[in-house]
Amino acid sequence: HLARRTLTVAIGSLAATAMAFHAQAATEVNLGHTLSDSSHYSVGADAFKETLERLSDGEFTVTEHTSGSLGGERAMIEGLQIGTVDVVITSTGPLGNFVPETYVLDLPFLFEDYDQARCVLDGEIGNELLTKMSDHDLVGLAWSENGFRHMTNSLREINTPEDAEGLKVRTMENRVHQEAFRQLGASPTPMAFPELFTALQQGTVDGQENPITVIVATNFWEVQDHLSLTGHVYSPAAILGSPILLDGLSDEEREWFDQAAQAAAEATREEVSRLEEEGVALLREKGMTVNTDVDPAPFQEAVEPAYEIYTDEYGSEMLDRIRESD
Ligand code: PAF
């Protein structure tokens, strides 16, 4: 009897110790993005990790999952909604499928330059859009950056919209982008980013469009000969959280996440600016022809009908507010 009681007590105290240890154990935060470890997204992810771990004094540890190891951006956004991933850095490309209000940010030739885009996103409009995310089972933490998007392809230099005619171009899974490329006479092929390199290599598509940051981070010179700086759309990046983790946090803990996301966005924007300065020379060195002298006016005119897709469904109020912010 005595032996059995001693054993029961011992097991009980072991269980109590295990529970106490569990209560103190750090919470692992899984952060995902689709780009390589050397990318501007990883610069942001590192800043997020450093800031959150420092502010929380180790209560949270961040594990970074890069290069699409958790899937493409659409899949990761779904992961946030069901709690299989905690924080995601994503372009707005597929986000419109979840939060239609963000489609406005993907309209071609909407923003004039980086200053205007950053200013709109850091102001009232950006905050409103971040808040909207919570209506769709997502937490909007901060606006980060990917960069103005340009066209690359393996067939010819692109100087005018006519040069884009007939090209099979991979686009993001975004209706506004697809319509814009249709208007240019190209054949838009929506595809998740992790499939893109192989699709370019095998000639399933002739070209793609992404900012200099992504072209550099993904070694696209290995599979693409020509880059034209069309700067046709800004399409920001968003740092999003899962409501399943974030809604359960105290105000103080939530503030650490906000600050970590802010630090990530700042570090990423700095890296985007650096690559805007240095990236073209690097890509030329790697053998790409780079047309830096594209006249945007005929492109802008050609893609104008894509605006109807947006305004027919969502009206023009948000669009007008952004345009007035010039
Ligand atoms: O082309 C895309 O899908 C996006 O720009 C990328 C590269 C995943 C970054 O958000």
Side-chain angles (χ1 to χ4, degrees), residues 3 27 42 92 195 263:
T27 302
S42 275
T92 45
E195 292 161 38

Side-chain angles (χ1 to χ4, degrees), residues 19-90:
M19 274 169 72
F21 179 76
H22 184 73
Q24 281 163 17
T27 302
E28 185 185 10
V29 175
N30 286 301
L31 179 154
H33 70 76
T34 39
L35 290 170
S36 69
D37 289 348
S38 64
S39 66
H40 55 302
Y41 280 4
S42 275
V43 168
D46 291 350
F48 185 93
K49 177 179 168 70
E50 188 281 317
T51 310
L52 184 64
E53 291 180 356
R54 177 171 43 78
L55 292 177
S56 73
D57 201 12
E59 182 182 322
F60 293 98
T61 56
V62 179
T63 306
E64 299 177 26
H65 304 269
T66 60
S67 303
S69 58
L70 300 181
E73 293 186 330
R74 179 199 266 267
M76 285 195 297
I77 297 171
E78 279 164 6
L80 290 172
Q81 293 181 319
I82 57 171
T84 52
V85 54
D86 303 309
V87 175
V88 166
I89 305 175
T90 174

Side-chain angles (χ1 to χ4, degrees), residues 7-228:
L7 192 67
T8 314
V9 170
I11 289 172
S13 73
L14 247 180
T17 314
M19 274 169 72
F21 179 76
H22 184 73
Q24 281 163 17
T27 302
E28 185 185 10
V29 175
N30 286 301
L31 179 154
H33 70 76
T34 39
L35 290 170
S36 69
D37 289 348
S38 64
S39 66
H40 55 302
Y41 280 4
S42 275
V43 168
D46 291 350
F48 185 93
K49 177 179 168 70
E50 188 281 317
T51 310
L52 184 64
E53 291 180 356
R54 177 171 43 78
L55 292 177
S56 73
D57 201 12
E59 182 182 322
F60 293 98
T61 56
V62 179
T63 306
E64 299 177 26
H65 304 269
T66 60
S67 303
S69 58
L70 300 181
E73 293 186 330
R74 179 199 266 267
M76 285 195 297
I77 297 171
E78 279 164 6
L80 290 172
Q81 293 181 319
I82 57 171
T84 52
V85 54
D86 303 309
V87 175
V88 166
I89 305 175
T90 174
S91 71
T92 45
L95 190 58
N97 298 304
F98 300 84
V99 188
E101 292 85 351
T102 65
Y103 270 132
V104 71
L105 301 172
D106 281 275
L107 289 167
F109 299 103
L110 174 65
F111 293 111
E112 304 253 308
D113 52 29
Y114 280 103
D115 281 347
Q116 190 209 357
R118 290 172 182 180
C119 192
V120 165
L121 293 167
D122 292 343
E124 204 180 300
I125 295 175
N127 281 334
E128 247 174 74
L129 290 170
L130 285 179
T131 309
K132 272 268 170 263
M133 312 266 181
S134 51
D135 296 345
H136 305 276
D137 289 332
L138 295 167
V139 179
L141 290 170
W143 289 111
S144 185
E145 194 161 74
N146 200 18
F148 278 91
R149 301 176 79 88
H150 308 294
M151 294 174 66
T152 70
N153 79 93
S154 54
L155 299 184
R156 54 183 171 260
E157 282 187 37
I158 294 184
N159 298 298
T160 64
E162 288 71 42
D163 297 327
E165 266 173 35
L167 276 185
K168 271 191 120 183
V169 179
R170 176 270 176 175
T171 67
M172 294 197 285
E173 298 164 270
N174 182 297
R175 285 160 56 207
V176 176
H177 289 206
Q178 287 166 55
E179 184 56 26
F181 279 90
R182 217 168 281 129
Q183 293 298 332
L184 283 177
S187 171
T189 310
M191 185 186 292
F193 189 74
E195 292 161 38
L196 178 55
F197 194 91
T198 311
L200 290 168
Q201 202 166 35
Q202 297 181 343
T204 319
V205 288
D206 307 311
Q208 64 89 42
E209 47 83 58
N210 251 305
I212 290 174
T213 50
V214 175
I215 300 167
V216 169
T218 318
N219 298 3
F220 274 151
W221 57 82
E222 290 174 10
V223 284
Q224 296 278 270
D225 297 326
H226 309 288
L227 163 63
S228 290

